[in-house]
Amino acid sequence: MKSNLSTRVRGRVLAHVLLTGCALTSLTATRAYARPDAATPVGAPRAAGSIVGTVSQAGSGEYLDGASVSIPALDLSTVVDRTGRFSLVGVPTGTHELVIRYVGFPDAHRTVTVVDAAVTLDVAMTTEVGANAGEGDEIVVSGSRPIAESEAAALQIQRTSPSLVSVIASDSIGRLPDQNIAQAVSRLPGVGVQRDQGQARYITLRGAPINWTTLSIDGINVVSPEGRDARFDSIPSAIASQIIVRKAVTPDMTGETIAGNVDIITRSAFDYPGMKVQAKGGVGHVELGKKTEYEGSLVISDRIDTGIGEFGIVSSASLYRRGMVTDNFETDFEAVDRDRRPGFETRNWARETENKLYRLTRKNYSLSTRLDWRPAPGHKLFAESIYSAFQDDEQRNNYIFDLDDQQSRAPNGTAACTVNARPATGTTGYADVCTGNTPLLGTVYGIDLNSNFTVRKYKQSVFTNTIGGDHELGAWNVKWRGNFTRSIDDRSQPAQLNYDSPSFGTNGANAANRLTVGYDLTDPQLAKVQLFRTIRNADGTFSRGAQVTSIEDFPRTLARLRSLKAQDVTEAYTGKLDISREASVFGAQTVFAAGLRYDDRTKTANEYLLELSTPAQFAAAGIPTGYAAIAKPGGFQGEIPLGYTFQYFDRDKILALVDQAKAVSPFVSTDANFYDVGEKVYSAYAMATTTTNWGSVIGGARVEHIRNDARAFSSLGLIDVKSSQTLVYPSLHVNWDVNDRMKARLSFNTGAARPDYDQLRPNLSINDANATISGGNPDAKPEKAKGVDLYVEYYTMPRGFLSIGAYYKDVTDVLFDSTRTYGQTNLNAAGVDRSGYVYSTIINGGKGYIMGIEGAIQQQLDPFTADLGLPDWMGGFGVQLNATINKSRADTPTTGAIPSRKVPLPGASDAIYNLIAYYEKYGFSARVSYQNRSAWLDAIGAVDTIGGVVRGVDGGDFYWAKDNELDASVRYAINGNVEIYGDFANLLNGPGRRYVGSSAYTIEHETFGRRYTGGVRVTF
């Protein structure tokens, strides 16, 4: 439903970007060969000489990205790029001493005589100590110290960066230390993760909300299938040569970043001196359910020199597949208005408790190709395509014990009472302290058992395509990019069957056909239930009958059959142009930069539903209404003590019933859940980077004009809401080189986090399968932040690093996810009661802040063994320790007569720890990694006056409990080309747990089992 005007504007902007790139390329033939491969020298008067060359590692020939090259006497310096190249311009004629530095190597010194032309100097760094280090014949074996090599590469890039960053870099054979980007980034200082069924998925920087962190690939922001909450688990490490986490926002970064940006620098064939082949294959065991997992990746790259320049091509493919089951229980709490007995003010009752018992097959896979072309010195063109996907084939047995099914019958007396286990006539004992029940322990009689059986084929994919060029045109440097990305969130559920217990009947006349449940929720780590027959006594009261262990012994009838086809598609177009020029300002080397960018993003949601819900429809389709028709022999594959036995369903049988249903009922568009949200961002920035003998200063500002257009169906028909705003983001960054090893950084920056696309839709979306309702809020405003960072970094030789930093961010219009029971009947239809569904939306609160300190230590024992009198083998021990301590507060929205209150900033943890110990020597390496993230606020709960007391409708606010993970890995290099490895994940088997109000009230608890994988890597 995109307009023709939108398409024309989008097409014109991209056409201009492409034409600009082609025009710049056409200059190559006439300009590039007429000058050396360097920008026009800096300074006034400008010297004509220059020094160009490469810096690599002796023996392997691997390029040392980020190495610094300087002439201290002239205060001239530069940094080696990822292709190993450097260029020092404006060098006066004469003889000069160059100093080349790279973490993990002693400084290399070279003497060079310059005339009025370019002098070429290629430097091969070694561990040999001396003035001429690197000129000897010492060979450094590639791949024998992968941890040390990746540490050195990362620290070098971090050290020479003009802004605050943390870096993960590949080792000399091009691998990152973890299977996917989320796992790799989680090792860095200040980085925490949020997991889904045990798999790291979202990134939080310095404990801040996940929507404050953006994802980019080679500098182009990528929209996740889920929207602005960037997913990192579906991006394999096979595509990356570096991951740069930018914690301080500079003007050339998009303004939708508050906490920082995770930029994935993809592999280029020019990263390597020649042909490169890397392959990995492994197989593993998943402890819970005794499942199997597989992983593999392949990267091939090569360079080809032709008569029209040098070409490079790199292609990669990866696959990670694992089977799994889950141990799960979930409980929803509520404040019950009819509970008025003494002490009711603090009681929250379990309205339902359930088990979601999954059988899953999860897959992550990717394909990528990048083509680079150097048509002439100083000019590079490239085209790149990356496809990555996450697929979840899921079968779920869901048993919901509906404890508050007859809540309206609960006695509402106010006086203290004598405990009598038998409830009053016609009542079930729910929320009745007079029966001896408490919110966490008791018995409820004659309740409804909702049994839901779901086949879900869930897939999220990102297909991103970028073309671009980098051009040196005299004193000017020009970069241009054009990108198209399509992200698809396929939420299809091929089948869902719902079975219900018989009705309660008048005063419980049919209750004997329903179950009685004894619940014990006193242990936050385990919700226990016992199932019993229900006895209806002559006086209409209920008693507990014999215990029943098989849930199939209770009668249930098919109430609803659904099949859902649902896709959310996001299309994003980006055009980007950056121009920079070097100049001398008051004798200081200064780079002026400016840029334009256009982003056009549209997210569209469409759903088609097939549904049968009456006995007549089931009969017409020939669909049996008993569970036996789809049951499958075999017991529970998990380990949690359920308190009952059950049978899984057969996937083929349940899909066959859907095929029968198609004969009598078509798929119908669910217009109520349709939306189309568009966003256009026109942005420009200007900044200057000044380098002096004491450090550097970056200052500038970014301006963004944002236009939103949201369309959706409501009770009034198709509605369209438009809005626009202009935001300005100034920033200033000061870097002080205290000495050769110490650097101090001070940053003042601004940013904003805009509401997600689906949150801007002007309607409500209903998900009957998950019993949820989500509401859009087109009036939601961006969170706007102003921050300051102060860090001190100290680099010890050869690969040591210490840092300490403090930060503060002030936020306005804090965005809150709000969650509550819907509590209204206006959405009930076709016999479906949606009043008990969980309703979520987003709303703006007031002001907030987050402040904290971050520290990191990274050191290997190797440099100190001799001084300490230790044997040489002990030099392989090393540590990487980092911690972040936060404090945050935010003002919740004022709702009606309910005033604002102060809560932690949503998604912010008070503490994040990453503790890594490793050993690496003689081709063997081992690493143990412990990660801990403290609890964080997930969503604010609704607050209302209940029984005359203001309190949480559903028990309070919703939190994720602390998350701690222990992983380990071992590697052994058989030779320079072959390595065997073992990875051991989730060794603590800790749960993913959520709670409401206080930690005693668990609302979700899942465990997934330990995982063990072994395999081989080869490199040529």
Side-chain angles (χ1 to χ4, degrees):
M1 300 183 65
K2 305 182 185 75
S3 68
N4 291 332
L5 176 59
S6 172
T7 303
R8 290 196 300 270
V9 170
R10 177 184 299 156
R12 284 201 301 269
V13 171
L14 285 180
H16 290 163
V17 172
L18 298 181
L19 287 172
T20 301
C22 293
L24 293 170
T25 305
S26 69
L27 294 173
T28 300
T30 58
R31 300 182 63 99
Y33 288 107
R35 61 177 182 83
D37 184 18
T40 298
V42 175
R46 293 174 180 267
S50 63
I51 304 171
V52 298
T54 62
V55 178
S56 61
Q57 181 176 348
S60 69
E62 303 294 338
Y63 300 132
L64 297 182
D65 181 10
S68 65
V69 181
S70 65
I71 304 177
L74 299 178
D75 196 23
L76 285 176
S77 64
T78 189
V79 175
V80 172
D81 68 17
R82 60 186 295 191
T83 65
R85 294 176 156 196
F86 72 89
S87 173
L88 271 176
V89 298
V91 182
T93 57
T95 300
H96 309 283
E97 183 181 39
L98 274 72
V99 179
I100 302 94
R101 291 193 172 105
Y102 190 87
V103 171
F105 291 83
D107 292 352
H109 298 261
R110 296 291 185 274
T111 301
V112 178
T113 300
V114 175
V115 294
D116 291 340
V119 176
T120 300
L121 175 66
D122 295 328
V123 180
M125 303 280 285
T126 80
T127 55
E128 180 183 344
V129 179
N132 294 320
E135 295 178 354
D137 295 325
E138 180 177 350
I139 301 299
V140 179
V141 179
S142 171
S144 62
R145 302 288 292 274
I147 297 176
E149 291 164 0
S150 59
E151 278 184 358
L155 289 179
Q156 185 62 35
I157 297 166
Q158 178 177 307
R159 184 176 184 175
T160 55
S161 170
S163 62
L164 181 63
V165 301
S166 294
V167 180
I168 292 177
S170 60
D171 58 39
S172 65
I173 62 172
R175 67 190 165 200
L176 287 171
D178 291 280
Q179 189 267 339
N180 66 42
I181 297 299
Q183 291 172 331
V185 175
S186 69
R187 315 293 182 191
L188 290 173
V191 176
V193 297
Q194 190 165 320
R195 303 175 194 275
D196 177 74
Q197 296 194 333
Q199 184 169 318
R201 173 168 292 181
Y202 306 105
I203 295 297
T204 171
L205 295 181
R206 298 189 293 199
I210 58 174
N211 63 306
W212 286 13
T213 302
T214 55
L215 165 67
S216 61
I217 297 179
D218 293 323
I220 299 291
N221 279 42
V222 175
V223 178
S224 166
E226 295 181 358
R228 299 198 204 277
D229 291 346
R231 283 191 56 167
F232 295 86
D233 60 335
S234 61
I235 305 174
S237 61
I239 72 170
S241 65
Q242 300 170 6
I243 307 171
I244 302 178
V245 178
R246 308 181 193 278
K247 298 177 181 177
V249 181
T250 52
D252 55 343
M253 297 168 58
T254 61
E256 60 185 331
T257 300
I258 292 182
N261 170 262
V262 179
D263 192 11
I264 299 167
I265 310 301
T266 60
R267 298 172 185 262
S268 166
F270 293 148
D271 294 344
Y272 312 109
M275 186 175 182
K276 195 85 166 180
V277 178
Q278 303 166 54
K280 169 187 174 182
V283 63
H285 174 72
V286 182
E287 196 174 66
L288 186 60
K290 298 178 175 57
K291 303 296 183 179
T292 303
E293 66 178 20
Y294 308 91
E295 64 177 353
S297 64
L298 176 65
V299 181
I300 302 175
S301 70
D302 200 6
R303 299 166 61 158
I304 306 168
D305 206 353
T306 70
I308 58 171
E310 187 178 17
F311 286 87
I313 185 169
V314 57
S315 294
S316 71
S318 69
L319 171 67
Y320 174 48
R321 180 187 185 275
R322 81 172 189 253
M324 58 184 294
V325 300
T326 61
D327 281 344
N328 164 283
F329 69 83
E330 299 184 19
T331 304
D332 293 334
F333 293 90
E334 64 181 349
V336 179
D337 184 67
R338 294 184 67 85
D339 175 17
R340 304 273 179 109
R341 304 288 183 182
F344 75 90
E345 299 88 350
T346 59
R347 284 197 291 266
N348 295 296
W349 295 88
R351 66 181 182 87
E352 64 182 32
T353 188
E354 64 180 302
N355 293 106
K356 292 179 179 176
L357 307 171
Y358 296 89
R359 291 168 290 161
L360 304 171
T361 300
R362 286 195 156 185
K363 290 191 292 186
N364 296 82
Y365 53 96
S366 73
L367 296 168
S368 71
T369 295
R370 175 176 172 129
L371 177 66
D372 290 270
W373 177 33
R374 288 178 176 165
H379 294 263
K380 293 188 297 183
L381 299 170
F382 75 92
E384 179 176 54
S385 288
I386 301 171
Y387 178 82
S388 64
F390 166 82
Q391 187 170 315
D392 192 349
D393 292 329
E394 172 184 308
Q395 301 173 68
R396 184 177 73 193
N397 284 55
N398 188 192
Y399 298 104
I400 304 173
F401 304 100
D402 193 358
L403 303 180
D404 76 341
D405 176 47
Q406 301 297 315
Q407 180 186 148
S408 62
R409 300 175 182 273
N412 59 353
T414 59
C417 55
T418 302
V419 172
N420 182 351
R422 183 175 293 188
T425 300
T427 68
T428 65
Y430 179 69
D432 187 357
V433 295
C434 297
T435 66
N437 285 347
T438 71
L440 299 179
L441 184 67
T443 303
V444 182
Y445 303 85
I447 70 162
D448 184 23
L449 170 62
N450 297 323
S451 305
N452 301 332
F453 308 103
T454 303
V455 175
R456 189 181 186 197
K457 197 170 181 63
Y458 175 63
K459 181 178 178 180
Q460 291 191 335
S461 63
V462 177
F463 183 43
T464 183
N465 305 272
T466 306
I467 60 173
D470 299 343
H471 308 274
E472 297 177 9
L473 305 172
W476 299 90
N477 286 282
V478 179
K479 298 182 179 181
W480 59 275
R481 302 288 187 268
N483 175 270
F484 167 70
T485 297
R486 175 181 284 118
S487 299
I488 299 177
D489 184 5
D490 191 327
R491 301 177 287 106
S492 294
Q493 293 183 339
Q496 184 192 17
L497 275 65
N498 303 90
Y499 293 78
D500 284 342
S501 300
S503 67
F504 188 74
T506 304
N507 292 321
N510 297 331
N513 292 320
R514 294 154 70 99
L515 67 162
T516 287
V517 173
Y519 63 91
D520 182 353
L521 312 176
T522 55
D523 183 354
Q525 306 297 331
L526 178 63
K528 302 175 184 177
V529 295
Q530 289 182 304
L531 311 183
F532 303 89
R533 299 287 182 192
T534 301
I535 298 174
R536 188 171 188 267
N537 302 305
D539 61 358
T541 62
F542 301 115
S543 299
R544 196 166 76 179
Q547 184 173 353
V548 177
T549 57
S550 173
I551 207 165
E552 268 78 30
D553 286 352
F554 293 101
R556 292 162 295 162
T557 303
L558 180 64
R560 187 167 294 102
L561 179 150
R562 298 186 184 92
S563 181
L564 176 69
K565 298 177 181 179
Q567 270 197 356
D568 301 344
V569 179
T570 305
E571 292 188 345
Y573 296 82
T574 298
K576 182 182 178 185
L577 179 65
D578 298 279
I579 301 174
S580 63
R581 178 188 172 94
E582 296 186 8
S584 179
V585 178
F586 302 112
Q589 183 180 2
T590 301
V591 177
F592 293 97
L596 300 171
R597 177 169 170 150
Y598 171 73
D599 291 284
D600 188 347
R601 302 165 180 166
T602 303
K603 183 168 187 174
T604 304
N606 286 291
E607 293 184 2
Y608 298 89
L609 179 67
L610 179 156
E611 182 172 30
L612 303 184
S613 59
T614 67
Q617 289 175 318
F618 298 144
I623 294 175
T625 58
Y627 181 67
I630 61 172
K632 177 180 181 178
F636 179 42
Q637 298 176 17
E639 298 175 357
I640 188 173
L642 293 175
Y644 58 89
T645 62
F646 71 98
Q647 284 185 302
Y648 287 112
F649 63 84
D650 186 287
R651 186 176 188 272
D652 292 336
K653 290 179 179 179
I654 201 171
L655 292 177
L657 295 184
V658 173
D659 288 337
Q660 291 176 231
K662 293 176 183 177
V664 298
S665 180
F667 281 90
V668 177
S669 175
T670 310
D671 289 342
N673 288 353
F674 163 82
Y675 63 85
D676 184 312
V677 178
E679 177 183 70
K680 294 181 175 65
V681 183
Y682 306 85
S683 55
Y685 76 90
M687 60 183 283
T689 303
T690 298
T691 303
T692 70
N693 58 359
W694 56 264
S696 64
V697 178
I698 305 175
R702 186 180 190 89
V703 180
E704 293 186 347
H705 179 69
I706 306 149
R707 297 180 181 176
N708 290 107
D709 185 356
R711 285 174 287 179
F713 283 102
S714 72
S715 58
L716 302 176
L718 184 65
I719 57 176
D720 194 336
V721 178
K722 298 179 185 293
S723 64
S724 65
Q725 58 187 319
T726 300
L727 301 173
V728 181
Y729 308 103
S731 65
L732 177 67
H733 308 263
V734 180
N735 302 285
W736 176 30
D737 296 326
V738 181
N739 55 44
D740 288 346
R741 296 188 177 185
M742 182 178 291
K743 182 184 290 284
R745 302 183 188 269
L746 177 64
S747 169
F748 302 91
N749 51 79
T750 55
R754 300 196 286 275
D756 215 336
Y757 305 104
D758 62 327
Q759 295 169 339
L760 293 172
R761 70 190 190 278
N763 73 336
L764 300 175
S765 297
I766 302 169
N767 187 322
D768 287 315
N770 293 329
T772 60
I773 300 168
S774 57
N777 180 6
D779 296 323
K781 296 178 288 187
E783 297 174 295
K784 295 180 283 293
K786 296 176 289 186
V788 59
D789 305 278
L790 176 60
Y791 276 69
V792 177
E793 302 168 353
Y794 185 77
Y795 297 85
T796 64
M797 292 300 290
R799 285 176 295 275
F801 171 68
L802 295 89
S803 77
I804 185 72
Y807 52 88
Y808 176 86
K809 290 188 184 295
D810 182 79
V811 190
T812 57
D813 297 320
V814 175
L815 288 167
F816 287 90
D817 288 327
S818 173
T819 300
R820 64 176 175 84
T821 303
Y822 189 63
Q824 301 180 52
T825 61
N826 63 311
L827 296 180
N828 293 356
V832 181
D833 180 5
R834 298 183 174 114
S835 61
Y837 283 16
V838 175
Y839 171 62
S840 60
T841 188
I842 192 167
I843 47 181
N844 285 108
K847 294 182 178 181
Y849 69 86
I850 183 170
M851 63 181 180
I853 57 174
E854 176 187 310
I857 301 173
Q858 180 173 310
Q859 185 63 62
Q860 194 170 21
L861 192 58
D862 207 24
F864 311 107
T865 53
D867 292 340
L868 296 174
L870 299 174
D872 182 68
W873 64 267
M874 292 192 67
F877 287 103
V879 295
Q880 298 171 343
L881 313 176
N882 60 79
T884 304
I885 307 298
N886 277 325
K887 180 181 179 181
S888 69
R889 288 293 181 270
D891 297 327
T892 66
T894 299
T895 306
I898 307 300
S900 173
R901 54 196 174 91
K902 292 189 180 297
V903 297
L905 195 69
S909 291
D910 290 340
I912 294 175
Y913 306 94
N914 292 300
L915 313 176
I916 300 173
Y918 65 88
Y919 181 84
E920 184 173 52
K921 202 86 169 176
Y922 316 116
F924 172 80
S925 64
R927 182 184 66 182
V928 177
S929 173
Y930 174 75
Q931 300 173 320
N932 186 299
R933 180 184 177 191
S934 66
W936 65 96
L937 176 67
D938 185 41
I940 58 171
V943 176
D944 206 346
T945 302
I946 301 174
V949 177
V950 177
R951 53 182 171 148
V953 173
D954 298 291
D957 296 325
F958 298 85
Y959 290 84
W960 278 99
K962 73 173 183 179
D963 177 58
N964 57 347
E965 297 283 330
L966 180 67
D967 302 327
S969 64
V970 293
R971 311 263 188 278
Y972 181 69
I974 297 174
N975 54 44
N977 303 110
V978 181
E979 175 190 79
I980 56 176
Y981 71 92
D983 290 329
F984 315 97
N986 194 31
L987 294 177
L988 298 178
N989 194 26
R993 189 172 79 93
R994 293 192 301 141
Y995 60 88
V996 63
S998 75
S999 185
Y1001 292 89
T1002 297
I1003 59 174
E1004 182 178 7
H1005 186 289
E1006 284 188 306
T1007 53
F1008 319 99
R1010 300 171 182 86
R1011 305 192 305 276
Y1012 314 101
T1013 306
V1016 61
R1017 290 186 175 95
V1018 296
T1019 305
F1020 298 97

